[in-house]
Amino acid sequence: MKKAIWIAWKDVKIRITDKKGFMMLILMPLILTAILGAALGSILGGSEIDEIKVGYVQSDLSGASKMFKTDVLEKMKMIKVTEAGSKKEMKKLLAEKKIDVGIAVPAHWGSGKKPAAVYAGTDQELKGSIIETAAVSFIDQYKAVREASSASMEYVTKTEAAKQGKLNPSLIAENLAKTLEKEAGARLAVTEKSVGTKEVTSFQYYSAAMLCMFMLFHMTVGAKSFLLEKETETLARLLLTPAQKYAILFGKWLGTYLFAIIQFFIFLIVTINVFDVDWGDNLLFVSVLGLSYAAAVSGISMLLASCLSDMKSADVLGGFGIQVLAVLGGSMLPLYQFPDFLQSVSKAVPNRWALEGFLSLMEGGGWAELQTPVLLFAAIGLCSLAVGIRRLHTR
């Protein structure tokens, strides 16, 4: 174990004294955070979501529109509903900034053939997306309730008991609809809860985004360190020492992990004290997420070291590959602006899970939102480290 720690500390000292590497992994993310946070502030808001003023136009007189207004919008504490007589009146209220978001419910909305139209001011895109999500979630579940009720009642009316008058189909239909609507309402309550109590500022978003992106570089930095020692035959000399192979390989991983931790805490301290970035109510949770993410990228570095054969491949992966992961993970553009297809693809990218974890803490979340990413990173780190060390030991 002492040999592993010695090898790890040697790697850390080399990387700290490397001016180019220091600039790349420590100063560059801070510089980009300052630039992107200031220049793209219009993409994200900068205050708590205390209230969303919604203008409501109801062309549909069916139960769906009434239920959405009374059981969804009016029951959300953060939403204040103002009824407008027409779209023209609603747009006027938007122009005068008397409302933040407008929603126009079309005729026969309950059939799901035509979606509700959501309007938002240029600086209220986030609030608009909240209302749009609530409307889409509601109408999908409303349709599911109708279809389930219809299918169930079609079956009941065909039974012998119903034909003989032993069952009252209308009473069954009423009870079934109430039960299904209660279940749908319980699910809709999650929509309000998931929004969080705070709106993430541009500096907060890009602080988390740049941290997640630049920590990815440790995947290739760790692999290149191993390949460099292999090319210069430093590794061969280490293998001639009494130290076991596993201790040497574990030391290489530990060196990458320690430098990733150093990068994480320097970035955290500077963004808090210089940019006044609020990382959430509990810095311990932020640290746990950062340490687990660092373990994952460090583990992947050992896996890559066991798969790559030369520095050229590592350079390509470190340039193009990291940029692709950064884009898919939301480091360039906010995740909610992605189309559905890319949002699905991005779930396979580790930095997307890290970014969502940091953002959930910034929004006021706690440990419940971190369990999945922390466990995922622990599994990735352990599996990648085990497979990488095994392959390298065999080679």
Side-chain angles (χ1 to χ4, degrees):
M1 191 63 176
K2 288 183 180 179
K3 290 287 184 182
I5 295 173
W6 180 84
I7 292 169
W9 181 239
K10 172 187 69 75
D11 283 0
V12 170
K13 286 195 296 183
I14 290 172
R15 291 172 197 176
I16 289 176
T17 55
D18 179 10
K19 293 182 180 179
K20 184 178 178 182
F22 185 84
M23 283 284 294
M24 178 67 180
L25 293 177
I26 305 296
L27 295 182
M28 190 60 72
L30 292 169
I31 294 170
L32 286 177
T33 298
I35 295 172
L36 293 173
L40 303 179
S42 59
I43 292 179
L44 299 168
S47 60
E48 290 191 358
I49 305 178
D50 294 324
E51 185 178 70
I52 304 177
K53 298 174 184 176
V54 178
Y56 193 77
V57 178
Q58 183 178 324
S59 302
D60 184 22
L61 300 178
S62 66
S65 59
K66 294 177 182 177
M67 191 183 300
F68 178 65
K69 180 173 176 285
T70 57
D71 293 351
V72 178
L73 294 181
E74 291 181 351
K75 285 188 177 180
M76 288 186 178
K77 295 178 181 179
M78 65 170 65
I79 293 177
K80 180 182 178 182
V81 180
T82 300
E83 247 187 283
S86 63
K87 283 187 182 181
K88 185 177 180 181
E89 183 182 342
M90 180 188 67
K91 290 179 179 179
K92 183 180 178 182
L93 291 173
L94 270 175
E96 295 173 351
K97 296 189 179 296
K98 292 182 178 179
I99 59 173
D100 304 316
V101 182
I103 179 169
V105 176
H108 310 296
W109 187 41
S111 65
K113 294 181 180 179
K114 190 175 180 181
V118 177
Y119 304 85
T122 54
D123 57 342
Q124 302 293 349
E125 289 91 349
L126 180 59
K127 292 181 179 180
S129 67
I130 292 171
I131 301 303
E132 184 178 8
T133 300
V136 171
S137 299
F138 169 80
I139 202 61
D140 286 345
Q141 291 175 39
Y142 183 85
K143 283 162 54 184
V145 168
R146 284 190 56 189
E147 290 168 4
S149 299
S150 177
S152 300
M153 289 314 304
E154 185 178 351
Y155 173 79
V156 169
T157 54
K158 291 179 180 179
T159 61
E160 288 298 322
K163 292 177 181 178
Q164 294 173 10
K166 295 180 181 180
L167 291 177
N168 186 344
S170 60
L171 182 61
I172 293 174
E174 183 180 350
N175 291 333
L176 179 62
K178 286 181 179 179
T179 302
L180 290 172
E181 285 173 8
K182 183 179 179 180
E183 175 64 22
R187 291 185 181 182
L188 279 170
V190 177
T191 302
E192 181 182 9
K193 186 177 179 181
S194 65
V195 170
T197 57
K198 299 177 183 178
E199 183 180 349
V200 176
T201 68
S202 57
F203 265 109
Q204 283 179 298
Y205 186 93
Y206 281 106
S207 293
M210 291 300 104
L211 176 62
C212 293
M213 181 176 78
F214 278 88
M215 284 186 73
L216 282 176
F217 281 96
H218 290 288
M219 295 192 305
T220 54
V221 168
K224 287 168 71 175
S225 171
F226 186 89
L227 292 172
L228 181 62
E229 293 205 358
K230 184 180 175 182
E231 288 182 359
T232 57
E233 297 187 358
T234 307
L235 184 62
R237 291 195 293 272
L238 278 173
L239 292 173
L240 292 174
T241 64
Q244 293 182 341
K245 284 185 179 180
Y246 284 116
I248 295 171
L249 297 174
F250 181 75
K252 298 298 293 181
W253 170 84
L254 186 59
T256 303
Y257 183 53
L258 288 175
F259 192 67
I261 292 173
I262 291 171
Q263 180 199 30
F264 170 73
F265 281 110
I266 289 176
F267 188 88
L268 195 66
I269 292 168
V270 173
T271 51
I272 290 173
N273 292 285
V274 177
F275 300 145
D276 199 26
V277 173
D278 180 7
W279 285 85
D281 299 327
N282 196 321
L283 288 179
L284 176 62
F285 290 162
V286 177
S287 300
V288 169
L289 180 59
L291 293 175
S292 62
Y293 182 47
V297 297
S298 302
I300 294 172
S301 74
M302 295 303 296
L303 183 60
L304 291 177
S306 71
C307 297
L308 299 175
S309 58
D310 54 72
M311 292 289 288
K312 186 177 180 181
S313 301
D315 287 334
V316 172
L317 186 62
F320 179 73
I322 298 297
Q323 293 304 315
V324 171
L325 292 177
V327 171
L328 290 176
S331 293
M332 303 302 182
L333 283 174
L335 290 167
Y336 67 82
Q337 293 189 347
F338 282 19
D340 292 340
F341 170 72
L342 281 182
Q343 291 219 16
S344 299
V345 172
S346 69
K347 290 179 181 178
V349 177
N351 51 307
R352 185 251 170 85
W353 291 93
L355 178 57
E356 285 193 334
F358 286 125
L359 293 179
S360 68
L361 291 174
M362 291 173 174
E363 290 173 348
W367 177 246
E369 289 77 22
L370 294 188
Q371 292 182 34
T372 299
V374 167
L375 291 175
L376 177 66
F377 292 145
I380 291 173
L382 287 173
C383 292
S384 300
L385 177 61
V387 173
I389 287 180
R390 180 64 182 171
R391 283 173 56 88
L392 289 168
H393 183 272
T394 304
R395 286 167 58 185

